[in-house]
Amino acid sequence: MNTTFSITQEERHYLRELAKKQLEYANLSIMDERKKLWYAHNGLKGERPVIVMEMDTFKRDLLPAFKCHSKAAIEIEKNLLIPIINHELIDDDKVVPNYYTVYSKIHINEFDFNIRKQYAVDATGREVGFTQEHPIKNLPVDLPQLKHSTYHVDREYTYAWKSFVEEVIGDILPVKLKNDKLKWHVVPSRMIVDLMGLENMMYAMMDYPEELHQLYEFIKNDILNFIKWQEKEGLLSLNNKNDYAGAGSYGFTNELPSNDFDKTQLVTTKDIWVNMNSQESVGISSSMYGEFIFPYYRDLAKEFGLVYYGCCEPVHDIWDDYISKLPNLRKVSVSPWCNEEFMGNALKGENIIYSRKPSPNFIGVGQFDEVEFKEHISHTLNAAKGCHLEIIFRDIYTLSGEKDKPRKAVKILRELIEDIW
């Protein structure tokens, strides 16, 4: 991989001005207030719900046209613009960082397969939907042939890129090296579907239950192997500050890292948050979830310091018998398909955060209906009274030409919190 990067003097000057603007926003007093808000919230002592508007899926609607032309400069420009534009145009409770992040270049070939995907392009040219080949055609026949994943870290590229960014803006924004490879990796059910397809997974629960258990056990061990390899290589990084630590949430906490880290300065899974979900099993019964899914997620969860569980899947039917029993659980996703009242009653007074995902349709589809949006959010605020609540807007893929919708939604939400909470 190429480790030589170049930009023009004009690009360098522009990037340095962007870095100064990010630092200016990072040093605003409101950012210190938000940090305190997050630490109190994640420590179960928050006074109000925190608000996140995840803009990654609709950032093209908000980001200006890039001024840079070289590939390296565009990468830096994009990563500087995102927190700047988020603060200027959305102003939720995200904290603008006073540093620039570079991630270790880690390559993983899951199960030693090259699983090919064919993407469909939508009307705006984005690759969103896709189909893919599934290597496991016949579970009993193909399972013995399954291999563990292979992986390696490209340290030469990682450090070359970090040094380059430091040379461009490092005297303005310190450059931190982190690892994001576990952000969406501890998801055995997703891996099952990649390997054999959703329909075959469902059928296997009836036709080949023993083999499906073997497959889940294999995948659980594969994930653990990857984690232990990262520990051994010194690649894991703490995610207990301004770090993505769940499906849209952030990891500010004084409970991590563990006491062992204080002694050794070596990051292990006990020192970090893990983000896990099983969206693919939404169509099965509670008892089947308990039989085929939960044991493997439980084994993985106990390896980590704190756990965020869930994404789009409703959890109310599997809460009492299973999810509530996950080791180290601190946050649970309450999706648009989840029974809010049930989860509100279940989490009231508990040490688990009600991580609400409102319907994305109010912001992502058509014109913004303030009346219906207020009703939707008011329902959440009433259902979650007595809980530790965070509200995270996700999966908004377009603003339909109304760039002010996210900021307007955040403003309305803050007003409702004042009135109702």
Side-chain angles (χ1 to χ4, degrees), residues 63-80:
L63 293 181
F66 293 140
K67 293 183 180 180
C68 295
H69 300 284
S70 65
K71 184 177 179 181
I74 289 174
E75 177 67 14
I76 300 172
E77 179 185 12
K78 177 188 68 175
N79 291 327
L80 291 171

Side-chain angles (χ1 to χ4, degrees), residues 70-100:
S70 65
K71 184 177 179 181
I74 289 174
E75 177 67 14
I76 300 172
E77 179 185 12
K78 177 188 68 175
N79 291 327
L80 291 171
L81 280 172
I82 287 173
I84 290 171
I85 295 301
N86 186 93
H87 176 66
E88 293 179 345
L89 300 185
I90 298 177
D91 198 30
D92 56 0
D93 289 325
K94 289 198 288 293
V95 176
V96 176
N98 59 357
Y99 55 86
Y100 183 97

Side-chain angles (χ1 to χ4, degrees), residues 328-347:
N328 308 313
L329 181 64
R330 177 54 55 88
K331 301 189 181 189
V332 62
S333 177
V334 182
S335 77
W337 298 274
C338 197
N339 185 319
E340 291 194 76
E341 284 77 15
F342 178 93
M343 293 306 298
N345 290 327
L347 296 176

Side-chain angles (χ1 to χ4, degrees), residues 109-112 146-150 218-219 221-222 225:
N109 185 12
E110 287 187 355
F111 312 111
D112 205 22
L146 194 60
K147 299 178 182 178
H148 279 294
S149 300
T150 56
F218 184 94
I219 288 175
N221 289 330
D222 191 82
N225 289 345

Side-chain angles (χ1 to χ4, degrees), residues 113-297:
F113 281 122
N114 181 20
I115 300 178
R116 289 179 289 182
K117 295 181 179 180
Q118 182 175 350
Y119 286 86
V121 179
D122 70 7
T124 66
R126 295 176 305 179
E127 293 182 337
V128 180
F130 63 88
T131 61
Q132 67 187 73
E133 295 180 356
H134 302 296
I136 293 180
K137 310 296 184 185
N138 184 308
L139 184 55
V141 172
D142 296 336
L143 181 59
Q145 315 304 319
L146 194 60
K147 299 178 182 178
H148 279 294
S149 300
T150 56
Y151 23 78
H152 72 277
V153 56
D154 190 337
R155 285 191 168 87
E156 181 183 3
Y157 177 90
T158 298
Y159 289 115
W161 175 244
K162 181 175 184 286
S163 296
F164 176 77
V165 177
E166 286 175 329
E167 194 275 327
V168 176
I169 62 169
D171 59 323
I172 303 169
L173 291 174
V175 180
K176 291 189 177 184
L177 180 61
K178 297 188 178 183
N179 177 1
D180 65 347
K181 283 302 180 181
L182 290 182
K183 188 183 291 185
W184 291 97
H185 188 79
V186 187
V187 283
S189 294
R190 189 271 298 167
M191 296 176 181
I192 294 273
V193 170
D194 283 349
L195 286 170
M196 62 189 302
L198 181 61
E199 186 173 300
N200 284 337
M201 181 186 83
M202 298 292 189
Y203 279 125
M205 293 180 187
M206 299 299 294
D207 295 338
Y208 307 113
E210 183 178 343
E211 288 83 357
L212 187 61
H213 274 293
Q214 292 173 13
L215 181 56
Y216 262 105
E217 180 72 15
F218 184 94
I219 288 175
K220 180 195 77 175
N221 289 330
D222 191 82
I223 292 171
L224 290 173
N225 289 345
F226 182 46
I227 291 169
K228 296 305 178 185
W229 172 78
Q230 290 179 86
E231 285 185 357
K232 181 180 177 182
E233 294 289 326
L235 293 169
L236 290 184
S237 57
L238 299 176
N239 58 0
N240 62 321
K241 294 184 179 179
N242 193 10
D243 303 286
Y244 195 91
S249 195
Y250 287 82
F252 296 95
T253 180
N254 293 315
E255 296 175 50
L256 298 175
S258 67
N259 292 333
D260 287 341
F261 174 80
D262 294 335
K263 300 172 186 175
T264 66
Q265 297 298 300
L266 299 175
V267 182
T268 72
T269 54
K270 296 296 184 183
D271 303 312
I272 62 177
W273 287 87
V274 67
N275 174 30
M276 53 170 46
N277 66 74
S278 183
Q279 300 177 91
E280 297 76 11
S281 60
V282 66
I284 66 176
S285 68
S286 172
S287 60
M288 293 184 82
Y289 177 90
E291 178 181 352
F292 289 102
I293 316 295
F294 180 70
Y296 309 100
Y297 279 77

